[in-house]
Amino acid sequence: MRSEQASGFKARTRQATHERAVLWITIPYTTPQLTREALRYAGVCTDALDVHIHLIDVHTVPFPCPMECPPVSKEHSERRLLELAQQSRLPGRAHVVYSRDQFEGFLGALPPKSLVVIATKKRWWPTRETKLARFLTQAHHEVMLLVVR
């Protein structure tokens, strides 16, 4: 009986190693150029891994405006994200979020312990992307900050 259990375990282990796990990489939309750079970097991993992207665009809605009527069209934002995703040729999804605070909007849209790739320009002062990366790291997400020129 022990040999049957052991052989069954080995068969399940071999079967599991042939299946490819999906790696979800979350990329916040910051600017078109920086988002393209983050998508390009995520595309490098596709040879060895099954990478899917999750593009998130958070729009802040000022307090006097109701959340049901945001100042930016959701269709326009989704179209912009889908165009970027199609250019990268990576499978995935796009998500537009409306929030009163940009950082809190990202926290609400991310699953726990997400892998996030953020591109930023090299500056001697903290950029908006650097601040977002620090905030998400403090919230226990895995953040990769790419410095581009």
Side-chain angles (χ1 to χ4, degrees):
M1 184 157 173
R2 277 188 172 176
S3 62
E4 291 174 5
Q5 288 177 348
S7 65
F9 177 75
K10 288 178 185 173
R12 282 193 300 263
T13 306
R14 257 182 287 175
Q15 181 182 7
T17 58
H18 291 295
E19 297 173 3
R20 292 181 79 172
V22 174
L23 174 65
W24 281 94
I25 298 177
T26 302
I27 300 175
Y29 179 84
T30 51
T31 66
Q33 176 193 6
L34 293 176
T35 306
R36 274 191 212 95
E37 288 295 322
L39 286 167
R40 187 180 61 77
Y41 186 81
V44 171
C45 303
T46 58
D47 293 338
L49 301 169
D50 190 11
V51 174
H52 286 70
I53 57 167
H54 182 197
L55 277 171
I56 298 178
D57 189 7
V58 175
H59 290 277
T60 54
V61 179
F63 183 68
C65 297
M67 292 295 284
E68 299 81 30
C69 300
V72 179
S73 167
K74 188 171 186 172
E75 292 80 22
H76 171 72
S77 298
E78 286 176 346
R79 191 173 339 109
R80 179 177 55 191
L81 289 178
L82 290 174
E83 286 173 6
L84 283 170
Q86 288 172 352
Q87 289 173 5
S88 71
R89 297 182 178 154
L90 293 172
R93 62 179 180 242
H95 191 196
V96 176
V97 177
Y98 294 101
S99 175
R100 299 283 182 202
D101 180 66
Q102 184 182 27
F103 291 172
E104 293 297 327
F106 278 115
L107 273 186
L110 292 175
K113 298 184 179 183
S114 295
L115 175 60
V116 182
V117 176
I118 303 173
T120 186
K121 292 199 177 223
K122 185 174 183 170
R123 302 282 188 255
W124 61 271
W125 61 87
T127 62
R128 184 179 61 150
E129 295 84 14
T130 307
K131 292 176 185 177
L132 177 61
R134 188 178 312 129
F135 178 77
L136 293 176
T137 301
Q138 290 172 350
H140 306 290
H141 293 284
E142 299 295 326
V143 180
M144 183 178 297
L145 188 64
L146 302 173
V147 180
V148 297
R149 293 183 185 235

